[in-house]
Amino acid sequence: MPARVHAVLVVRPEGRIPAAPHLTRTLEALAAQTRPVDALTIVLCGNDPALTRIAAASGAEGVITASAGTTFAAATALATPRLTGDAVWLLAQDTAPDPDALLRLAGALELSSSLAVAAPKLVAWDDPAEIVSLGVSMTRYGRTVELAAGELDQGQRDGDADVLGADVRGMLVHRESWRALGGLDPALGGADEGLDLAVRARLAADRVSLVPAARVAVAGDGVAAMARGRKRARRRAFAERTAQLHRRLAYAPAPAVVLHWLSFLPLALWRSVVHLVGKVPHKVLPEWGATLLVMARMAAVARARRRIRTARTVGWSRIAPLRVSRSEMRLRWDGDAAESDAPVRSELRFFVGGGAWVVLGALAVSALLFAPLLAWPVLGGEGLAPLRATVAGLWQDAAWGARPLGLDVVGPADPFSALLALIGSLSPAEPSRALVVLWILALPLAVLGGWFAATRVTESSLLRITAAIAWALAPAFLAALVEGRPAALLLHLLLPWLFFAASVAHRSWAPAGAASILLVAVLACAPSLAPAVAVLWSAALVVVALVAPRGIARVVWLVVPSIVVFAPLVWTQVRLGNPWGLLADPGVPFAGDEATADPLGRLLLAAGFPTSDPGGWTALTGGPVWWIVLLAAPLAVLALLAALTPRWLTAAGLLLIAATGLATAFAAVGVAVSFDHATPIPLWPGSGLSLAWLGVVGAAVVALDAGVPSRIRVLRPIGALLTLAALTVAVAPSLTAMTSDTPRAVLTNGPVSTLPAFVAAEGRGSTSVGTIVLDPRADGLRVDVVWGGSATLGGQSTLDATRTEARPADQELASLAADLVTPSSEDAVGALAARGIGFVLLQPGPGGEDDVIRGARLTAATSLDQRDSLDAVGATARGDLWRVTSGVQPRAALDGTQARLQQLVAAGWIGVLVVAALLAVPTVASRRVARRTPRTVGFVRGGTR
């Protein structure tokens, strides 16, 4: 048995946990040892009067004071010159050994002359039956592996003695070995210190052994312990990764050190992706911090390698058998999975519950109602326009840069353009046909989204089907379908999926990542919903902070991608002094049949109808339409009754969604922030109504699910059937608009291009060809510039549509147009050519045009015919076309600053969406966690969901 044992006790308060009680217990445990320590040195890190008094009264041989930031390794180095005796016992303020711990550790050292390190069994401070640590090893690539942690101590590990390493707390080390090995490596950052010391001891031909009979209770708040808790997860990850990378450089063969060093940055990038996919985003910043720190501390690596080289007497093959193999790691992972709780999530029942059949039925109905669309290559209408002919053109429209409309407009694209580019890319040969397919599939897609959203509210297959059909029968959705409003249509299809993901975003990162992407798409379709989203997000933050604070970071993340994506547009509109333009509906600006602000209009809005002709009944009957409100009453009454059910908290959340949606719709009525030339375009109230419909349908389902007593369940199908029947009658004219003799639908076949075919062929696949479009009207000469073969849906810009005053480019364009149509003016064709404009189009007049305007068109045509540098192409279906024959200059490219800004915006968009997508990718672990949580949300009988 060693003649003398010198204990080194390092004390450093950590966080808000008081160190004095733990230090007192540790000193009492030391005093109670059956084999007492021969000398005790206390290292006090930080100035704490209470700890100083306790240390002074402990009878320690010496008390060393150090700064508060001193690490455990550095503190033991301060005590090393004072060491006496044959062995050093490494302790912290939270390591209380059992009375016979030192006796057993010292006995193990005495029995074997080759044993340099004896390590105890670490057990929980308040529960000695729980093993905290009993042996540490590492994989082939240096990853630390705890051999036994978090297990119930039943003696199952007491036979394990020969291990690669152990936790540093409670280690008893021969003094000669301690000095020969150079003590602990301070560059490890507080992690893997015991493992590293043991590895170096084995390379010095010494042994390391566990002594399971020697038990030391640890609280985990001492200087030698890793940071605990979720709030310190980043700190723990930083320390662990720092130690791993440092050891990799310290242990590597000399020729491989440089290769390892060069691999660190690519490896950090790869591991960042892995962390995001693995739903541990808090490890990304520590990964880069640890990488950069280790790469910069090559002097510390050199010192570590020198320690190993000085003490090493055997090869690395000595420790190879003690590493954890890949097969052993696989068994550990499988074992962890097997120990998970039994699944509590019910089966989805999409097929057996009838969901799939309802979707197929909706597809059949849609094919019947929209049969003419099956033969159309391009969808046309007031709010529609063709897409670019190529995928590259689609994404060019969606990028920051020169806009495809206007003389010289440079700025951000609407995020809606990126959504259209994504849809068009699904049909790369004919991007515009993707919109036709979307229109045909809209009805079944709405049913599908509504069904999945209902799974968060009810387990009843009947009520899920009811919710799916009610969602597809929403008046705002059908109005968008028949009036040709692509943004409103996509919004209605995306909202249920946003609800499906966002309602459980606090549970794990996978739904949070998916919801953050869906929120970007929703706001891209309806920027006017931003205030409502802000209200709902703030309410969610408060609720999650109260009932599930661990998920607050995930809820915060929901808005991060939207902030990044919309930042360029926000910055531009604010810089231009037009912040209200941020609320403008994206796409082609047109004034349709919006609801009015009179009492009847507001009554129709409250019933869910965004137009003054609710459901098409006014055009069909020509009579009063107030009675349509009665058909929406059953759904509204059920929604309000949900607040009286046992699931009133869930109902309250859904009614809040409904209230914010209705408030948005009421606020939008009559408000115009965009313009079609001189015509104000009011905001579409249907966006707010779609959000409100989501809350109302969800609350009605809650009422039918939780409000109907079990003994009279027959009321559930009766209530659902009556509600759906009333809704079907309310929207019947809209559903049949495309098949009636006098259709309400404004959908048309095409056009393939808004410009003549000659220009479309010239500008296919490029936006370098410019066409100035002239259109004399009663309110003045309308003029615009179209770049490429057509004005496209993705090329529309709210920056252009929401401008409230003429900008320099507008004034220049007006002057050019006036000169072109004025016979006596100077030749303006040269100015067109210098701007890259190669064509002039004089559009035909609308029907019913008076003689004065027809005269203005004739005068303009005469003036254009007289221009020597214009070559008349002839009359086309789109109007009279002239070609500029003088040298047309290429369209001005972006300057250096604009090009860098374009790259920055693209990098920001791609970066944040890639991060969100990686978070959204499900993993085995995330699916296992999901199976242990209910599918529905909110409080129900028996607990929280």
Side-chain angles (χ1 to χ4, degrees):
M1 183 173 293
R4 288 175 58 82
V5 174
H6 194 137
V8 176
L9 177 59
V10 183
V11 182
R12 189 182 76 183
E14 284 288 329
R16 293 173 295 177
I17 301 177
H22 289 173
L23 177 59
T24 300
R25 176 176 168 181
T26 297
L27 290 173
E28 291 173 351
L30 285 176
Q33 291 297 301
T34 57
R35 193 285 188 206
V37 297
D38 299 286
L40 171 65
T41 296
I42 298 178
V43 183
L44 282 176
C45 304
N47 183 18
D48 189 311
L51 297 180
T52 302
R53 287 193 299 270
I54 295 173
S58 65
E61 171 268 341
V63 177
I64 302 173
T65 59
S67 63
T70 305
T71 63
F72 186 73
T76 58
L78 292 174
T80 295
R82 305 176 65 100
L83 294 179
T84 60
D86 303 299
V88 55
W89 199 12
L90 305 177
L91 301 170
Q93 83 252 16
D94 66 330
T95 52
D98 283 0
D100 60 348
L102 181 56
L103 176 67
R104 295 182 182 277
L105 290 171
L109 286 183
E110 178 68 18
L111 290 176
S112 176
S113 59
S114 63
L115 186 63
V117 179
K121 177 192 294 182
L122 301 184
V123 297
W125 188 262
D126 298 321
D127 185 9
E130 179 186 346
I131 300 175
V132 174
S133 180
L134 185 60
V136 180
S137 185
M138 62 182 176
T139 64
R140 177 184 176 185
Y141 300 103
R143 176 184 175 184
T144 305
V145 180
E146 283 280 358
L147 299 179
E151 299 180 8
L152 181 65
D153 186 10
Q154 298 176 321
Q156 73 274 22
R157 301 283 187 177
D158 288 357
D160 300 336
D162 196 21
V163 294
L164 180 57
D167 195 297
V168 73
R169 291 171 289 180
M171 270 187 172
L172 186 65
V173 188
H174 261 301
R175 182 187 171 200
E176 290 80 5
S177 297
W178 177 261
R179 291 188 181 277
L181 297 174
L184 303 178
D185 188 349
L188 290 170
D192 299 347
E193 293 169 325
L195 173 63
D196 176 70
L197 181 67
V199 167
R200 288 186 279 130
R202 287 193 173 276
L203 291 175
D206 292 328
R207 289 182 55 244
V208 177
S209 177
L210 295 176
V211 185
R215 302 197 314 168
V216 175
V218 294
D221 62 300
V223 62
M226 293 296 298
R228 298 187 306 164
R230 296 179 64 89
K231 292 184 177 180
R232 298 184 177 182
R234 290 183 178 86
R235 185 168 148 192
R236 181 169 62 249
F238 174 77
E240 291 173 348
R241 188 57 177 163
T242 299
Q244 183 179 356
L245 293 177
H246 176 77
R247 288 189 294 106
R248 181 170 299 176
L249 293 179
Y251 298 169
V257 172
V258 175
L259 296 178
H260 277 302
W261 189 89
L262 292 174
S263 70
F264 278 1
L265 289 179
L267 185 62
L269 179 60
W270 167 249
R271 283 176 59 87
S272 297
V273 173
V274 172
H275 291 327
L276 293 174
V277 174
K279 310 302 174 287
V280 283
H282 67 272
K283 291 186 177 182
V284 173
L285 290 180
E287 178 74 35
W288 286 96
T291 298
L292 296 175
L293 177 64
V294 174
M295 291 181 71
R297 289 193 319 187
M298 292 307 295
V301 173
R303 289 191 293 269
R305 294 181 64 84
R306 185 165 56 250
R307 289 192 196 95
I308 295 174
R309 186 171 59 253
T310 302
R312 175 182 167 188
T313 59
V314 298
W316 286 92
S317 59
R318 176 77 175 268
I319 69 171
L322 298 174
R323 292 179 185 262
V324 178
S325 66
R326 182 178 299 178
S327 59
E328 290 173 325
M329 286 299 297
R330 189 178 298 112
L331 288 175
R332 286 175 175 271
W333 290 331
D334 293 342
D336 292 341
E339 293 174 2
S340 62
D341 298 336
V344 300
R345 175 165 292 191
S346 61
E347 294 295 330
L348 187 61
R349 304 194 309 275
F350 179 61
F351 290 96
V352 298
W357 307 114
V358 176
V359 173
L360 288 175
L363 178 61
V365 171
S366 181
L368 179 65
L369 296 179
F370 295 95
L373 274 65
L374 297 173
W376 294 356
V378 180
L379 201 60
E382 292 290 342
L384 289 161
L387 300 181
R388 290 287 175 202
T390 63
V391 172
L394 289 173
W395 291 104
Q396 186 177 359
D397 280 354
W400 192 99
R403 308 305 331 134
L405 293 176
L407 180 63
D408 188 19
V409 180
V410 177
D414 295 330
F416 181 64
S417 298
L419 189 59
L420 290 174
L422 183 62
I423 294 172
S425 298
L426 299 177
S427 177
E430 296 179 278
S432 293
R433 191 177 290 274
L435 278 183
V436 180
V437 175
L438 174 66
W439 237 257
I440 297 172
L441 296 180
L443 203 60
L445 287 177
V447 171
L448 180 67
W451 192 91
F452 272 92
T455 63
R456 297 298 187 203
V457 180
T458 179
E459 293 284 354
S460 168
S461 297
L462 171 65
L463 295 183
R464 290 176 179 178
I465 293 173
T466 302
I469 298 175
W471 181 250
L473 293 178
F477 169 62
L478 295 177
L481 196 63
V482 299
E483 289 188 5
R485 296 181 181 269
L489 179 76
L490 286 170
L491 170 71
H492 199 82
L493 297 180
L494 290 168
L495 274 177
W497 294 105
L498 176 60
F499 176 79
F500 178 78
S503 59
V504 293
H506 62 284
R507 294 181 179 176
S508 70
W509 280 104
S516 66
I517 297 175
L518 289 167
L519 182 59
V520 172
V522 163
L523 291 178
C525 295
S528 59
L529 287 184
V533 168
V535 170
L536 295 175
W537 177 72
S538 301
L541 275 180
V542 173
V543 173
V544 171
L546 293 176
V547 302
R550 290 185 176 182
I552 195 166
R554 304 183 187 110
V555 178
V556 170
W557 168 259
L558 292 180
V559 299
V560 172
S562 298
I563 292 173
V564 174
V565 169
F566 279 87
L569 189 62
V570 172
W571 177 79
T572 304
Q573 288 282 36
V574 171
R575 184 174 59 87
L576 293 174
N578 188 25
W580 292 110
L582 293 168
L583 300 177
D585 296 316
V588 178
F590 85 102
D593 183 29
E594 287 89 353
T596 58
D598 58 21
L600 178 59
R602 294 192 177 275
L603 181 63
L604 293 175
L605 278 178
F609 294 93
T611 61
S612 58
D613 181 4
W617 280 103
T618 300
L620 186 65
T621 64
V625 293
W626 59 266
W627 55 272
I628 298 295
V629 176
L630 300 177
L631 297 175
L635 186 68
V637 170
L638 285 174
L640 294 175
L641 289 177
L644 305 178
T645 67
R647 295 181 63 190
W648 60 271
L649 278 176
T650 302
L654 291 166
L655 290 175
L656 177 62
I657 295 175
T660 55
L662 276 177
T664 302
F666 274 81
V669 172
V671 175
V673 295
S674 59
F675 305 88
D676 179 15
H677 295 284
T679 304
I681 306 298
L683 292 175
W684 171 242
S687 300
L689 293 182
S690 287
L691 180 62
W693 200 261
L694 178 69
V696 170
V697 171
V701 169
V702 169
L704 290 173
D705 185 46
V708 180
S710 57
R711 60 182 179 274
I712 49 174
R713 287 294 189 188
V714 68
L715 293 181
R716 177 181 291 178
I718 293 176
L721 184 61
L722 289 176
T723 301
L724 292 180
L727 290 178
T728 303
V729 172
V731 298
S734 294
L735 277 175
T736 58
M738 288 295 294
T739 59
S740 61
D741 294 334
T742 56
R744 277 186 67 245
V746 296
L747 301 179
T748 61
N749 181 7
V752 176
S753 172
T754 61
L755 298 177
F758 186 84
V759 181
E762 189 88 7
R764 178 181 173 85
S766 172
T767 56
S768 60
V769 177
T771 303
I772 185 169
V773 181
L774 307 175
D775 184 14
R777 294 289 186 93
D779 56 0
L781 177 64
R782 298 184 179 185
V783 58
D784 207 347
V785 176
V786 178
W787 297 93
S790 173
T792 61
L793 185 58
Q796 304 296 317
S797 173
T798 54
L799 282 180
D800 183 64
T802 59
R803 65 190 191 280
T804 55
E805 58 184 19
R807 299 166 188 169
D810 297 324
Q811 295 172 354
E812 181 182 354
L813 182 58
S815 298
L816 285 173
D819 290 343
L820 283 173
V821 300
T822 305
S824 60
S825 66
E826 298 180 0
D827 184 21
V829 179
L832 293 181
R835 280 293 194 171
I837 298 174
F839 294 94
V840 178
L841 177 65
L842 181 62
Q843 289 188 326
E849 193 175 58
D850 59 34
D851 294 337
V852 175
I853 302 303
R854 280 196 295 272
R857 291 186 186 277
L858 181 59
T859 301
T862 303
S863 175
L864 292 172
D865 283 332
Q866 293 174 353
R867 303 290 180 182
D868 294 336
S869 299
L870 287 180
D871 185 13
V873 177
T876 70
R878 302 293 171 202
D880 297 332
L881 181 66
W882 287 264
R883 182 172 187 171
V884 178
T885 57
S886 58
V888 179
Q889 300 297 319
R891 188 181 187 186
L894 300 180
D895 59 32
T897 302
Q898 292 172 337
R900 286 190 293 272
L901 188 55
Q902 183 184 55
Q903 295 169 356
L904 179 63
V905 170
W909 279 36
I910 294 172
V912 74
L913 292 177
V914 165
V915 170
L918 291 175
L919 289 175
V921 174
T923 62
V924 174
S926 65
R927 288 195 294 267
R928 187 165 62 243
V929 171
R931 286 195 295 269
R932 299 200 302 268
T933 55
R935 195 179 304 279
T936 55
V937 293
F939 292 94
V940 296
R941 294 183 182 93
T944 303
R945 290 190 175 182

